[in-house]
Amino acid sequence: MHFASFEFLIFLAVAWPLWRLLQARAAAGLRVPALLYLLGISAFFYGCWQPWYLLLIGASTLIQYGVGLALSAAEDPRRRKLWLVVGITADLGLLGTFKYGNFIIENLEAAAALAGQPLSLPRVPGELPVGISFYTFQTLSYIIDLYWRRIERARSLLDFAVYVIFFPQLVAGPIVRAADFLPQLQRAPLDGLAHFGRGLGLILWGLTKKVALADVLHAGVVAPFFSDPTRGGALDLLIALWAANFQVYCDFSGYSDVAIGAALLFGYTLAPNFNRPFWSTTPMEHWRRWHISLSTWLKDYLYIPLGGSRAGPARTDLALATTFLLGGVWHGAGWRFVLWGLYNGLLLVAWRRWGPRDGGGRLRRLGLMALTFHAICLGLVFLHVEDLGGAGAAFGALGRLTAPSSAAPWGLVALGVAVGLHATPTDWRERGLGVFAAMPGWGQAAAVGLVGAVLALFGEWSGPFFYFQF
Amino acid sequence: MSEGAGPGGAAVTRRGISVLAVLFAGAVGLTALSDALGLRWAEPQRWPTDLLAFADLPMPSRPAVVIVGSSRASMALIPGEIERCGGAAPPDPSAPQVYNLGRAYTTLIEVEQLARGLLSGPRAPRVLLVALDPEAIDAHNPRRPGALRGGLALSDVPGALVEARGLREGLAALRALTRGPEALLRVASGRHRADPRLGWLMRAEGGGQWCTGSPACVDQNLDFKAVMADSWERVEREVLPDWRAAQTPAWAPGAGPIAAAWAGLRAWAAENDVEIVVVELPFSEVWRSAAPPEIWADYADWIDQNVTQQGIPLYREPAGRKGRRADWLDPDHMSELGATGLSRRVCAGLGLPRPAAGG
């Protein structure tokens, strides 16, 4: 049941009115029925993918809650460190087994075959559980923050379980920090017509970006080129990369908008995940504005512990490259993700050392934006091909100076619209959401109906959200 | 107190409920309107609006043959090949006489709905070719919700909701309520006329997924092959591992609604002077071995009792005929090559297209 589906709209239409009955009780201090309800509908939402996913997330929740209890009770530093190691090992073990298990096994077999000793190892059964990368990072941040004594432990297993499984952010983020979310469960959920209207508006806005822009960009520009890069030239590659960058942006920022809007309908806030990333004048700034919840997670729990910028230039370079390499691997089990992470890590290192400095006049800033945008675009080649051969074929297009031919005209229109939307000032969107929130009920219903029909119209192009594969 | 922005509590609940109520009423109203405008067949199916293109066609005389069945049927039988059977030239090369209306996940229940809803009056064919596969006679076909939402008339929705076995079928039945807004937007967008696969193929070549005999068909087939390039690997990876587990436990060949649909289809054929013929669709060895032997045995029994013993013409591939890998796009859908051969054997075997009475 992904967000851009009829099933999700029905799910919301059933789950929300019942929630309203309990929300009033939660506002009056009766938290448990409301939290049990959130847990139940979130488990239903997640179980619709595969019921056995619930076993995994349930096990992870129980283990990390237990580790949290032990951490908060322990005073001895060595004991605390031991519990931290137990928690991290459990989370990374889960992630490693289900996300990277088969990748590791396949590479071991390939290495053994190269060495003339063919191996046949058993595979990890089943497909990659949806959302596992996101919820393991959430529970990791919980136990690490407890270890650092930055937060109080969850008040109960129920609070912690809702924090982990709350359906809007479960399958593709934003990665929510316990410090931001657990306190919200202690107080009454937000209520008000403005919140309702804003939540609904964000859902519609996100779905529109996903279905009417991201999927159209994919079908009209990205897929035609990357399905056979040998047919295109340098301009085809360039246009496909622009479209790919905006496709992922519209897809994932659209997903994040739906998640934030759905959470708001239920009275909870999730932090913004994108801040017009293509206005960045350096790659460092780009990653501060892109998938903010992951970037800040990697910064807080990986880059800074690795030394950050405090231990000399060489150590900073190493920390940056390692953080981005692991960030790439987090996105998927495959060499293309390794290469993508490595590319971005090295890009940041090189830019820090030799790249142009930020600042200057408007023209210079525009030039830096274009440079940064294209540097990020180049890395996307690795995400859109199956293997190194595919990347070679795509880059091979640079050697052919022919008129662009692979993009469909309607795909280029979508690209223009996406560029325009990205360039729109943030406060325009906020004003638009304000206008939507102030509309009468029938107007909001008409907007929902229109977006639903557009969603169905483009439905045959609509695939799962890009970040589900991660 | 609840933290809020503007009026909260009951006002928010009222607003939410009113949005839902207006949405529901609007969707049902627009569906009724679209049905009244004859747009029922602009349905949200796998190949949307090609049925609308069929419904839009001027039909000066009854079609010689209409093929119905699942996606396998749409890829296995090429209308042009059947029309040109044995090298015969069609009477009017600009107007197809044979049509393929195969739809994804179709069972006999959807075949009857399609026949009664779309194939009446001048669209009632002289021959209805029912292309069968085991899932088509499975009353509990787990893939059916994919077809359900497309075939239901508005008045069928309450019944479908009552009969729904599980959440997926219930949601699919509900989805039929939203056909109206989708259909109106679909038609307004003009895609069924602009997109070759949704309009031209039906108008010029009688629909289906493959066509032969013209340069336009060569391009069309190349495009389709490009879209389906990884189909065999995808089916092996994603469909076959779960097929047995999904299909077998509730396997109900010819049960209740299927029996009623088959009887209803035969009654419709008698009312409209339509001859029913049946083709038993072939499968690759990979697919055959994925299904348990008891399914094939039940399937053969059903055909024996309901087709052969009823005197309904049946085409079945000769026993022992080994298909080639090149005949298949994926383990259960035929390639252009396979479909061309099968179409020729079917038309020769069943003597299609039959000449019109008096003509």
Side-chain angles (χ1 to χ4, degrees):
Chain A
M1 192 197 299
H2 66 77
F3 285 171
S5 70
F6 177 74
E7 288 76 9
F8 179 68
L9 296 180
I10 295 290
F11 168 79
L12 273 186
V14 173
W16 186 83
L18 294 174
W19 165 250
R20 292 298 300 172
L21 298 175
L22 294 164
Q23 187 173 348
R25 287 167 179 253
L30 285 169
R31 290 184 333 118
V32 172
L35 294 187
L36 278 173
Y37 179 74
L38 285 183
L39 184 68
I41 59 171
S42 298
F44 174 81
F45 171 83
Y46 193 47
C48 281
W49 262 282
Q50 287 287 346
W52 71 268
Y53 291 174
L54 291 170
L55 292 177
L56 277 187
I57 198 171
S60 173
T61 303
L62 283 173
I63 291 169
Q64 300 304 351
Y65 180 71
V67 168
L69 282 180
L71 264 173
S72 56
E75 289 299 329
D76 175 29
R78 279 184 305 176
R79 185 168 287 260
R80 287 175 61 76
K81 188 167 274 184
L82 178 69
W83 280 116
L84 177 70
V85 170
V86 168
I88 290 176
T89 307
D91 255 347
L92 294 186
L94 192 72
L95 195 59
T97 304
F98 286 94
K99 186 161 184 173
Y100 304 106
N102 287 335
F103 175 65
I104 294 167
I105 289 168
E106 283 161 16
N107 280 284
L108 279 177
E109 286 179 349
L114 271 179
Q117 299 287 328
L119 267 179
S120 180
L121 300 168
R123 294 288 190 275
V124 179
E127 59 197 23
L128 172 68
V130 170
I132 192 169
S133 309
F134 291 88
Y135 71 71
T136 49
F137 266 37
Q138 282 197 193
T139 52
L140 270 177
S141 74
Y142 171 74
I143 56 166
I144 296 171
D145 283 349
L146 273 179
Y147 176 77
W148 284 338
R149 299 186 195 279
R150 283 179 177 168
I151 57 169
E152 296 290 316
R153 72 168 175 83
R155 187 191 275 189
S156 67
L157 177 59
L158 182 59
D159 287 64
F160 185 67
V162 172
Y163 159 64
V164 176
I165 203 175
F166 184 46
F167 75 89
Q169 46 78 27
L170 173 61
V171 291
I175 300 168
V176 177
R177 303 284 183 93
D180 297 328
F181 195 75
L182 285 175
Q184 293 189 55
L185 298 180
Q186 307 298 321
R187 57 175 187 253
L190 299 173
D191 196 4
L193 275 177
H195 292 311
F196 172 82
R198 184 179 163 77
L200 196 59
L202 277 169
I203 291 173
L204 298 186
W205 178 239
L207 288 178
T208 305
K209 277 201 281 188
K210 154 71 180 162
V211 177
L213 288 176
D215 291 345
V216 175
L217 282 171
H218 176 76
V221 188
V222 181
F225 175 80
F226 281 105
S227 62
D228 185 3
T230 58
R231 288 194 301 191
L235 286 174
D236 286 302
L237 172 65
L238 191 64
I239 294 169
L241 286 177
W242 291 344
N245 220 352
F246 276 98
Q247 179 212 335
V248 182
Y249 169 72
C250 289
D251 187 291
F252 194 33
S253 72
Y255 176 88
S256 298
D257 287 341
V258 179
I260 293 166
L264 200 52
L265 278 187
F266 285 77
Y268 299 96
T269 56
L270 306 179
N273 216 15
F274 286 84
N275 178 21
R276 297 205 293 171
F278 303 139
W279 286 123
S280 308
T281 52
T282 66
M284 289 72 95
E285 186 187 0
H286 174 87
W287 293 114
R288 285 196 296 272
R289 289 164 169 261
W290 178 281
H291 199 173
I292 296 165
S293 63
L294 176 67
S295 301
T296 51
W297 196 103
L298 291 172
K299 184 189 82 180
D300 292 347
Y301 300 108
L302 201 56
Y303 174 69
I304 292 175
L306 284 171
S309 57
R310 296 157 300 160
R315 186 72 183 270
T316 301
D317 289 348
L318 186 65
L320 262 181
T322 308
T323 301
F324 274 83
L325 176 64
L326 293 177
V329 173
W330 175 87
H331 281 79
W335 287 108
R336 60 196 179 122
F337 296 106
V338 174
L339 288 171
W340 179 66
L342 197 60
Y343 169 83
N344 281 298
L346 294 178
L347 174 68
L348 261 69
V349 169
W351 201 291
R352 255 177 47 80
R353 292 244 170 190
W354 305 291
R357 298 298 101 189
D358 195 3
R362 184 174 289 181
L363 205 60
R364 179 179 152 80
R365 284 183 59 79
L366 269 177
L368 287 175
M369 274 180 211
L371 196 60
T372 301
F373 178 79
H374 285 91
I376 298 294
C377 276
L378 273 185
L380 284 179
V381 168
F382 299 112
L383 290 186
H384 285 275
V385 295
E386 288 299 317
D387 48 33
L388 277 178
F395 285 123
L398 288 170
R400 292 186 292 276
L401 275 175
T402 53
S405 60
S406 64
W410 41 268
L412 295 175
V413 171
L415 181 57
V417 174
V419 171
L421 279 182
H422 180 272
T424 307
T426 311
D427 61 330
W428 288 19
R429 190 189 78 160
E430 291 305 312
R431 261 186 263 170
L433 284 170
V435 170
F436 179 81
M439 280 166 72
W442 62 265
Q444 291 175 340
V448 174
L450 186 66
V451 170
V454 169
L455 198 143
L457 182 68
F458 289 97
E460 62 260 42
W461 287 327
S462 186
F465 284 90
F466 197 76
Y467 261 68
F468 280 17
Q469 63 185 306
F470 306 146
Chain B
M1 271 298 286
S2 143
E3 189 183 333
V12 174
T13 308
R14 274 198 305 276
R15 169 62 60 87
I17 299 294
S18 70
V19 167
L20 286 172
V22 172
L23 260 180
F24 181 78
V28 172
L30 288 174
T31 302
L33 174 68
S34 82
D35 284 6
L37 293 173
L39 302 178
R40 177 178 166 195
W41 300 106
E43 30 80 278
Q45 254 281 7
R46 179 63 55 105
W47 299 296
T49 69
D50 60 348
L51 288 185
L52 186 65
F54 176 79
D56 272 354
L57 282 172
M59 206 66 79
S61 60
R62 295 173 64 185
V65 181
V66 166
I67 299 155
V68 287
S70 66
S71 59
R72 293 164 188 156
S74 79
M75 292 192 204
L77 295 164
I78 302 175
E81 288 294 335
I82 294 176
E83 198 163 329
R84 293 186 294 270
C85 196
D92 177 0
S94 66
Q97 288 296 300
V98 180
Y99 293 91
N100 187 330
L101 306 185
R103 327 290 302 149
Y105 312 133
T106 290
T107 69
L108 285 178
I109 300 168
E110 286 74 45
V111 167
E112 193 214 355
Q113 285 167 353
L114 189 72
R116 290 198 179 275
L118 188 61
L119 303 179
S120 55
R123 281 175 181 71
R126 296 203 301 276
V127 173
L128 183 78
L129 189 159
V130 181
L132 273 186
D133 48 36
E135 291 96 321
I137 63 161
D138 182 7
H140 295 168
N141 186 344
R143 310 295 295 274
R144 225 191 120 218
L148 192 61
R149 64 189 195 206
L152 290 179
L154 200 53
S155 55
D156 295 333
V157 173
L161 278 173
V162 170
E163 288 170 12
R165 294 169 310 109
L167 193 63
R168 286 182 67 228
E169 287 190 8
L171 284 172
L174 269 182
R175 177 69 189 265
L177 291 179
T178 68
R179 273 190 303 108
E182 294 173 25
L184 290 167
L185 209 57
R186 232 173 255 281
V187 172
S189 77
R191 282 193 59 208
H192 67 300
R193 293 196 173 83
D195 188 328
R197 287 184 46 69
L198 305 180
W200 167 80
L201 198 57
M202 182 63 75
R203 287 195 301 274
E205 298 290 339
Q209 299 300 313
W210 305 113
C211 70
T212 52
S214 73
C217 281
V218 173
D219 289 344
Q220 160 65 24
N221 293 346
L222 281 175
D223 283 350
F224 188 56
K225 282 173 195 166
V227 171
M228 305 292 284
D230 65 343
S231 183
W232 184 286
E233 292 75 16
R234 191 178 49 76
V235 171
E236 277 198 318
R237 192 175 61 240
E238 295 173 10
V239 180
L240 280 177
D242 295 330
W243 191 89
R244 182 186 284 256
Q247 200 78 36
T248 312
W251 165 245
I258 293 287
W262 184 237
L265 189 68
R266 296 185 65 191
W268 162 85
E271 289 159 18
N272 290 277
D273 189 25
V274 176
E275 180 187 6
I276 292 179
V277 301
V278 171
V279 169
E280 196 180 316
L281 287 169
F283 286 88
S284 71
E285 282 306 311
V286 172
W287 191 274
R288 276 201 159 270
S289 55
E294 55 269 27
I295 283 188
W296 296 111
D298 290 344
Y299 178 50
D301 283 350
W302 189 91
I303 290 179
D304 188 44
Q305 288 168 26
N306 294 279
V307 179
T308 317
Q309 290 180 25
Q310 305 299 318
I312 295 172
L314 169 71
Y315 176 82
R316 178 182 277 154
E317 291 276 67
R321 184 174 195 287
K322 291 275 181 196
R324 298 157 295 178
R325 169 68 176 79
D327 287 338
W328 299 96
L329 190 67
D330 61 44
D332 64 328
H333 294 99
M334 295 199 97
S335 64
E336 178 191 355
L337 186 71
T340 304
L342 178 68
S343 303
R344 290 175 183 170
R345 293 193 295 279
V346 164
C347 70
L350 290 174
L352 298 175
R354 309 263 164 87

